[in-house]
Amino acid sequence: MSLVIRRARPGEAGLVLAFVRELAEYEKLLHELEATEADIAEALFSDNPLLFCDIAEWNAEPVGFAVWFLNFSTFSGRHGIYLEDLFVRPSHRGKGIGKALLVHLARECVANGWSRLQWSVLDWNTPSIEFYKSLGAVMMDDWTLCRVTGDALTNLAGKAE
């Protein structure tokens, strides 16, 4: 059995979107999925992409992915990786693929002198939380994620300064 992790290639936006859909189903968030294949293709494969995707292949079959982008820590003065999505198909879990994707991203950070690898996990996702802790991840209980979308985003954008 062989595992290969490689960067997503032009023409694979449909594959990436399929993984996003599977992740959304797993997280019970399919109702929030709006992205199209064209959206994914533009984000990943434009002239200066700001989004990146690594595909995990098990015996040449795509079985997982990691979607990420650069963030920046003003405290460290360096970039880092924000992992937006990490997913391994259920049929291939327990083979070390998720760990291999995280190791791959950690190596990307170290090789580039970036200061951190960061992501969010749903509170109810105990198996993932335990898995992340086993790899040395620290749950940031003192921080609350904030988000403004939809009408609230439009309203905020229209506020006087």
Side-chain angles (χ1 to χ4, degrees), residues 57 88 111 154:
E57 292 182 339
V88 175
T154 302

PDB file of all heavy atoms in Angstrom, residues 57 88 111 154:
ATOM      1  N   GLU A  57      -3.401  10.456  -1.945  1.00  0.00           N
ATOM      2  CA  GLU A  57      -3.762   9.313  -2.784  1.00  0.00           C
ATOM      3  C   GLU A  57      -3.271   8.028  -2.127  1.00  0.00           C
ATOM      4  O   GLU A  57      -2.112   7.941  -1.719  1.00  0.00           O
ATOM      5  CB  GLU A  57      -3.127   9.434  -4.175  1.00  0.00           C
ATOM      6  CG  GLU A  57      -3.679  10.561  -5.005  1.00  0.00           C
ATOM      7  CD  GLU A  57      -3.055  10.612  -6.399  1.00  0.00           C
ATOM      8  OE1 GLU A  57      -1.952  10.055  -6.598  1.00  0.00           O
ATOM      9  OE2 GLU A  57      -3.679  11.225  -7.273  1.00  0.00           O
ATOM     10  N   VAL A  88     -10.564  12.873   5.258  1.00  0.00           N
ATOM     11  CA  VAL A  88     -10.188  11.568   4.718  1.00  0.00           C
ATOM     12  C   VAL A  88     -11.474  10.760   4.619  1.00  0.00           C
ATOM     13  O   VAL A  88     -12.268  10.723   5.569  1.00  0.00           O
ATOM     14  CB  VAL A  88      -9.155  10.854   5.617  1.00  0.00           C
ATOM     15  CG1 VAL A  88      -8.871   9.448   5.098  1.00  0.00           C
ATOM     16  CG2 VAL A  88      -7.873  11.666   5.711  1.00  0.00           C
ATOM     17  N   ALA A 111       9.804  24.297   6.639  1.00  0.00           N
ATOM     18  CA  ALA A 111      10.666  24.575   5.482  1.00  0.00           C
ATOM     19  C   ALA A 111      10.638  26.040   5.078  1.00  0.00           C
ATOM     20  O   ALA A 111      11.636  26.566   4.567  1.00  0.00           O
ATOM     21  CB  ALA A 111      10.241  23.694   4.301  1.00  0.00           C
ATOM     22  N   THR A 154     -23.301  42.458   4.678  1.00  0.00           N
ATOM     23  CA  THR A 154     -23.734  43.584   3.847  1.00  0.00           C
ATOM     24  C   THR A 154     -24.061  44.809   4.706  1.00  0.00           C
ATOM     25  O   THR A 154     -23.671  45.925   4.380  1.00  0.00           O
ATOM     26  CB  THR A 154     -24.963  43.172   3.003  1.00  0.00           C
ATOM     27  OG1 THR A 154     -24.604  42.037   2.213  1.00  0.00           O
ATOM     28  CG2 THR A 154     -25.417  44.308   2.096  1.00  0.00           C
TER      29      THR A 154
END
